Amino acid sequence: YILGTKASWSVKHTRHATSYLQWAIDSFVEAAKLQQHLDAQVERLINESYTSGNFGDLTRSLLGERPEDEGRSQTSYDKTFDRITARYHHHDLDGGIRETKWGALMAVQAWEQKDKSLKGINSSRDRTRRHQANVMFGKLPMTEKAAKILVAN
């Protein structure tokens, strides 16, 4: 009762509230530091030149060597290579980022998110679901591999 009236809600005392508060503050500070680090990396990737030839080399390192045997495996490799390269030259990368490392990373990510074929899925509804799950839960291995290569060089 507060001033003769029953309270509609109450706050329970929490054991170690001060340490929980300090943990929350520390977590926030670490997240802010990480964000600053990521901002600096993105800025560096945006400012570093990356030509079409560099992008071709990156794509080959992502896909591996082109198969020697003529036939289906070579055709599959060529189609994948062409689709990734098309993303690099797509209008989405207009505005000054195409010939940068950031543009290269965005092209690989766009291909992996939107164009990469998903084995064993025929229905567009299931393909959309799988795509959304991959985007939401970070299952983009080619993009991760490309990021590691681009940041390292």
Side-chain angles (χ1 to χ4, degrees), residues 115-134:
D115 301 332
K116 184 178 177 187
S117 61
L118 301 170
K119 293 181 181 178
I121 297 179
N122 296 324
S123 110
S124 64
R125 184 188 67 196
D126 290 342
R127 182 168 309 166
T128 300
R129 286 180 182 163
R130 174 78 62 86
H131 161 73
Q132 289 170 343
N134 288 346

Side-chain angles (χ1 to χ4, degrees), residues 136-148:
M136 293 288 293
F137 302 111
K139 293 182 179 180
L140 299 172
M142 292 291 246
T143 302
E144 289 177 24
K145 187 175 177 182
K148 288 177 184 174

Side-chain angles (χ1 to χ4, degrees), residues 12-68:
K12 293 183 179 181
H13 292 281
T14 303
R15 186 184 283 189
H16 309 295
T18 305
S19 61
Y20 289 140
L21 177 60
Q22 188 59 51
W23 174 82
I25 292 169
D26 293 344
S27 296
F28 178 77
V29 169
E30 288 303 312
K33 286 179 185 176
L34 176 61
Q35 186 60 48
Q36 288 174 337
H37 173 71
L38 293 175
D39 287 348
Q41 274 192 326
V42 169
E43 190 71 28
R44 184 176 69 86
L45 293 174
I46 288 171
N47 290 327
E48 289 188 27
S49 179
Y50 209 70
T51 65
S52 290
N54 295 132
F55 187 75
D57 293 341
L58 172 68
T59 304
R60 279 185 280 285
S61 68
L62 293 173
L63 297 178
E65 292 297 319
R66 185 173 186 258
E68 294 292 326

Side-chain angles (χ1 to χ4, degrees), residues 87-117:
R87 274 290 169 185
Y88 184 71
H89 294 287
H90 195 267
H91 69 274
D92 287 349
L93 293 182
D94 288 345
I97 68 164
R98 177 175 292 119
E99 297 230 344
T100 67
K101 286 185 173 184
W102 181 252
L105 182 61
M106 292 298 96
V108 172
Q109 181 182 33
W111 167 78
E112 191 165 22
Q113 287 182 347
K114 300 173 184 173
D115 301 332
K116 184 178 177 187
S117 61

